[in-house]
């Protein structure tokens, strides 16, 4: 068992309440189940672990996604990012995206925030900063701070009604003309998250007054054994499914002991019957209004 639960301050959509750094925490509560470490913040629906094994999974997923899309950012972002851009990655996980962006853009300042401290603490480029924050309490920076905000694979992190609040917060912390890049996949859900969020990203962005600058939608065949990205993502999916045992064990089997076997059969079927995963990526721009 980990620390004491943090105060559940539900983000109320009031940008004033979120515009200070007071929401940055120094620790997050955890719970250990069957040797895996999960967060235990009542405020959040997020159910994947936050231990070293999960860091490995996130690192492998990062490189698979980079290979699938050909880059860490959409081409529109590459063409429009300023030299000394202030960049924020929300839900940065193990920090791979942040570290690579900092190396590729040595004059930029890259900040990663996450509710779990899975990011590197010692070795990192000088232009990188990581902070602990649960964005459901608001994004802990003042208005108009960043030139570029990135958020990837938070599908399991937010309930359906929380998405517009988070997008409004991204809008608030972006400078006028600032860019946002979102990427999500399809998924099945357990805690009132939205399995269709990927296909709704464009609408969420336009509803929050962003202009859409670029869309990139990719489909990956889990059964394509010639494609190393498919193999990597299938391994990743299997690892994530096993990690969800405490949440799903009693729901998908009568005996939780059978859960691992059911997952392995499911993964074999994804491979054999060529299940697809679809990923949506968008770049939006905050209008330059006075
Ligand atoms: C599936 S991982 C994706 C990590 C990273 N974005 C990537 O693409 O490699 C989701 C991350 O979001 C974090 N997260 C979930 N809910 C969050 C919240 N409310 N505030 C901040 N981070 C959150 C989790 O701790 C986890 O590291």
């Amino acid at each position: 068992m980990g620390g004491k639960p943090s105060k559940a301050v539900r983000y109320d959509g009031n940008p004033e309440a979120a515009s200070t750094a007071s929401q940055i925490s120094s620790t997050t509560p955890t719970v250990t189940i069957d040797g895996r470490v999960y967060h235990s913040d009542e405020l959040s629906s997020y159910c994947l672990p936050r231990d070293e094994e999960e860091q490995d999974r996130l690192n492998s997923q990062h490189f698979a996604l980079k290979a699938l899309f050909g880059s860490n950012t959409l081409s529109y972002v590459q063409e429009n990012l300023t030299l000394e851009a202030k960049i924020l990655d929300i839900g940065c996980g193990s920090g791979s995206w942040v570290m690579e962006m900092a190396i590729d853009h040595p004059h930029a300042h890259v900040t990663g925030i996450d509710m779990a401290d899975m990011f590197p603490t010692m070795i990192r480029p000088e232009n990188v900063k990581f902070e602990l924050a649960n964005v459901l309490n608001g994004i802990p920076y003042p208005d108009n701070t960043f030139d570029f905000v990135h958020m990837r694979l938070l599908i399991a992190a937010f309930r359906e009604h929380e998405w517009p609040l988070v997008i409004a917060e991204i809008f608030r912390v972006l400078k006028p003309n600032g860019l946002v890049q979102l990427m999500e996949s399809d998924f099945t859900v357990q805690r009132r998250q939205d399995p269709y969020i990927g296909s709704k990203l464009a609408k969420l962005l336009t509803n929050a007054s962003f202009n859409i600058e670029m869309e990139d939608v990719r489909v990956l065949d889990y059964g394509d054994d010639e494609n190393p990205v498919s193999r990597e993502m299938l391994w990743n999916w299997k690892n994530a499914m096993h990690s969800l045992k405490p949440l799903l064990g009693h729901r998908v089997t009568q005996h939780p002991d059978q859960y691992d076997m059911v997952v392995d059969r499911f993964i074999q079927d994804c491979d054999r019957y060529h299940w697809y995963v679809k990923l949506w990526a968008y770049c939006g721009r905050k209008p330059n209004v006075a």
Side-chain angles (χ1 to χ4, degrees):
M1 282 290 218
K4 162 165 141 281
S6 64
K7 211 167 100 203
V9 185
R10 180 159 291 280
Y11 170 54
D12 60 3
N14 171 9
E16 296 297 313
S19 61
T20 69
S22 63
Q23 322 279 342
I24 297 173
S25 359
S26 56
T27 183
T28 50
T30 60
V31 58
T32 302
I33 306 170
D34 290 341
R36 301 299 308 267
V37 183
Y38 299 79
H39 81 80
S40 62
D41 188 334
E42 291 162 18
L43 183 63
S44 167
S45 59
Y46 194 68
C47 42
L48 284 162
R50 40 167 299 172
D51 47 22
E52 277 186 27
E53 196 174 332
E54 177 67 357
Q55 288 172 35
D56 287 346
R57 187 186 74 80
L58 291 179
N59 288 337
S60 102
Q61 184 174 256
H62 164 77
F63 288 106
L65 291 176
K66 184 180 174 188
L68 182 65
F69 281 85
S71 171
N72 282 323
T73 53
L74 294 174
S75 57
Y76 187 87
V77 177
Q78 286 158 37
E79 287 153 19
N80 288 277
L81 202 61
T82 51
L83 196 66
E84 297 187 2
K86 287 187 77 177
I87 300 173
L88 175 68
D89 186 25
I90 297 175
C92 62
S94 59
S96 310
W97 187 91
V98 168
M99 303 279 275
E100 286 210 318
M101 284 297 285
I103 290 164
D104 293 347
H105 303 270
H107 300 289
H109 305 273
V110 194
T111 301
I113 58 174
D114 201 290
M115 61 185 273
D117 44 355
M118 282 192 287
F119 36 76
T121 51
M122 302 289 282
I123 299 169
R124 54 198 193 197
E126 277 188 6
N127 56 338
V128 163
K129 187 165 81 175
F130 288 108
E131 283 179 315
L132 267 180
N134 182 339
V135 296
L136 293 175
N137 294 325
I139 299 177
Y141 301 104
D143 299 0
N144 307 323
T145 302
F146 295 99
D147 299 286
F148 176 40
V149 176
H150 174 257
M151 190 168 78
R152 185 176 70 182
L153 297 182
L154 274 282
I155 185 168
F158 309 136
R159 299 171 183 93
E160 192 175 351
H161 71 278
E162 290 166 339
W163 275 92
L165 306 176
V166 175
I167 302 294
E169 274 292 277
I170 293 175
F171 191 89
R172 181 184 66 74
V173 299
L174 270 174
K175 294 176 186 169
N177 260 330
L179 298 176
V180 59
Q181 179 179 311
L182 305 178
M183 183 188 292
E184 295 298 336
S185 68
D186 45 15
F187 187 59
T188 49
V189 292
Q190 286 295 324
R191 293 186 173 181
R192 292 189 288 131
Q193 298 110 327
D194 185 347
Y196 308 111
I197 196 65
S199 62
K200 295 179 184 171
L201 291 179
K203 195 157 193 301
L204 273 172
L205 286 171
T206 47
N207 285 350
S209 302
F210 282 102
N211 298 322
I212 305 280
E213 301 288 5
M214 187 173 169
E215 174 193 69
D216 190 351
V217 182
R218 308 257 168 160
V219 173
L220 188 70
D221 174 358
Y222 277 134
D224 181 358
D225 49 19
E226 305 276 295
N227 180 352
V229 176
S230 293
R231 298 292 90 189
E232 193 69 19
M233 289 298 278
L234 186 64
W235 173 84
N236 226 284
W237 184 220
K238 178 177 172 179
N239 189 299
M241 291 297 293
H242 280 296
S243 306
L244 291 171
K245 186 173 178 178
L247 180 72
L248 300 181
H250 61 287
R251 299 189 198 191
V252 299
T253 56
Q254 280 183 332
H255 302 287
D257 289 352
Q258 295 171 353
Y259 179 78
D260 290 332
M261 194 187 65
V262 171
V263 167
D264 290 344
R265 274 222 304 263
F266 165 69
I267 294 296
Q268 279 164 19
D269 282 355
C270 289
D271 191 0
R272 187 175 310 149
Y273 300 113
H274 294 265
W275 282 41
Y276 286 89
V277 59
K278 192 168 179 179
L279 293 119
W280 290 260
Y282 286 91
C283 174
R285 187 186 281 281
K286 178 173 173 174
N288 189 10
V289 282

